[in-house]
Amino acid sequence: MLGTLNPTQLTTFRASAQAGEFLITAEVAPPKGGNPQHMVEMAATLKGRVHAVNITDGSRAVLRMSSFAASVILQQQGIEPICQMACRDRNRIGLQSDLMGAHALGIRNILALTGDPVKAGDHPDAKSVFDLESVRLLQLIEKLNNGFDSNDKALTDGATDLFVGAAVDPQCRSWSGLQKRFERKLAAGAQFFQSQMITDFELLEKFMTQIAAGCNKPILAGIFLFKSAKNARFINKCVPGVTIPEHIIDRLEQAKNPLEEGMKIAAEQVQIAQELCQGVHMMAVKREDLIVPILDMAGVKAVRKF
């Protein structure tokens, strides 16, 4: 039963982050429908190899099961979730309600996001909310953790205890904009950062040395599995802000087994990230079962349990 779940049983991610360990997270999409079996099966392949599993919240504004509900389901399976929470679909009342509910059910890790615009998704005529954006959501969570609501009124039934993170894009075209937003998220209480897909590791190194240096918060580099040259070109065309270099596309195109080559590329990127930052965030859309083999290829060992 959910009521008997002990939240302290699932604290590997926070404990590892605070201990300065190299962090490994992976992304799993909730189901489109009421049957979570496939999601659970994919997440189960990651047990013991990642510190936590991100559950997306309407990524690309495409309809999926609630990230909150999907996180509870994974937690019931003994898999520590990071519940993504976007501002697109909820006002501040709904956000606070879900955050308090997450705490009550033992969900401790939250990734605060603004959310993709509805025009990008499968319900382009839906109404957006955007009562808040990611920085103000971080500030709101900080208040809840201190025992107050967004109106600075006391939470009469206890504060939350949420370990909150934020997204970052080291490949942002505006360097000053990137620095300003990163600093605002730090000031608003972000305890960790997961990056967008990284394809330019020179820019990641520049970000780590010129902007993130001394912040004392884990930065996890986004590592994406490219399945083919066609897949990479599609992402270049359809995903805003992403530019996959031609040398990666050429490798995939010339390979006898493009999927295997994509795994090699991802493993190489994990090894580069190990030299630059405190973690990786693995993304293998619809092939989450390949994340552990990629980690094996990169020489990444099982996570330490606390």
Side-chain angles (χ1 to χ4, degrees):
M1 294 291 292
L2 287 176
T4 64
L5 222 150
N6 181 359
T8 61
Q9 293 172 346
L10 296 173
T11 58
T12 299
F13 180 66
R14 188 194 308 216
S16 296
Q18 293 175 342
E21 294 199 358
F22 188 79
L23 302 171
I24 308 161
T25 58
E27 195 163 283
V28 173
K32 185 168 185 176
N35 185 351
Q37 181 177 349
H38 179 70
M39 175 193 71
V40 171
E41 289 174 352
M42 290 296 99
T45 67
L46 302 168
K47 268 190 174 182
R49 297 306 304 272
V50 304
H51 294 90
V53 173
N54 276 57
I55 300 298
T56 58
D57 184 16
S59 178
R60 296 182 293 113
V62 173
L63 174 65
R64 293 277 181 170
M65 179 186 286
S66 156
S67 59
F68 181 24
S71 294
V72 172
I73 291 168
L74 288 195
Q75 186 164 259
Q76 289 174 317
Q77 302 297 316
I79 300 165
E80 182 171 1
I82 297 175
C83 180
Q84 295 189 1
M85 194 162 290
C87 299
R88 177 190 58 242
D89 307 318
R90 309 169 182 85
N91 64 17
R92 68 194 69 189
I93 299 173
L95 287 165
Q96 289 175 102
S97 295
D98 281 350
L99 289 163
M100 288 186 284
H103 168 89
L105 291 170
I107 297 171
R108 290 293 184 261
N109 308 311
I110 301 291
L111 188 73
L113 302 169
T114 298
D116 299 312
V118 295
K119 295 297 183 184
D122 59 354
H123 286 66
D125 295 327
K127 289 186 178 180
S128 298
V129 179
F130 291 120
D131 186 22
L132 305 178
E133 45 71 49
S134 58
V135 173
R136 293 177 68 194
L137 177 56
L138 288 165
Q139 294 168 341
L140 182 150
I141 295 171
E142 183 83 355
K143 286 188 176 185
L144 294 177
N145 282 345
N146 286 319
F148 297 91
D149 67 15
S150 62
N151 289 329
D152 295 319
K153 294 182 179 179
L155 300 178
T156 55
D157 294 304
T160 60
D161 178 26
L162 301 171
F163 189 62
V164 61
V168 65
D169 184 7
Q171 298 166 150
C172 178
R173 293 180 181 179
S174 170
W175 199 249
S176 60
L178 170 62
Q179 181 170 8
K180 181 179 178 180
R181 193 140 181 88
F182 180 75
E183 290 174 351
R184 287 184 66 205
K185 289 181 178 182
L186 273 177
Q191 298 299 307
F192 66 94
F193 291 85
Q194 291 175 318
S195 91
Q196 309 289 359
M197 175 199 312
I198 298 293
T199 55
D200 188 332
F201 284 84
E202 289 184 2
L203 278 179
L204 175 62
E205 183 175 15
K206 182 180 177 183
F207 169 77
M208 292 301 302
T209 56
Q210 296 187 17
I211 293 179
C215 74
N216 296 318
K217 303 297 181 186
I219 311 290
L220 283 72
I223 308 295
F224 192 90
L225 171 63
F226 303 113
K227 304 179 188 72
S228 66
K230 181 180 179 181
N231 173 229
R233 288 194 180 99
F234 174 82
I235 293 169
N236 261 352
K237 181 180 179 180
C238 299
V239 180
V242 174
T243 303
I244 301 167
E246 279 301 317
H247 70 85
I248 290 179
I249 296 175
D250 289 342
R251 278 184 65 176
L252 293 165
E253 197 154 46
Q254 295 166 13
K256 291 182 179 179
N257 187 329
L259 181 59
E260 185 176 311
E261 191 67 22
M263 293 173 66
K264 290 179 181 177
I265 291 169
E268 291 166 8
Q269 292 178 337
V270 170
Q271 291 175 327
I272 296 170
Q274 285 180 303
E275 303 298 319
L276 298 176
C277 54
Q278 198 189 321
V280 288
H281 177 56
M282 307 297 296
M283 294 170 278
V285 179
K286 297 182 179 179
R287 290 307 310 263
E288 292 88 351
D289 57 305
L290 296 180
I291 289 175
V292 169
I294 291 169
L295 294 174
D296 287 339
M297 292 170 67
V300 176
K301 298 179 181 179
V303 302
R304 178 165 67 94
K305 294 293 184 181
F306 287 80

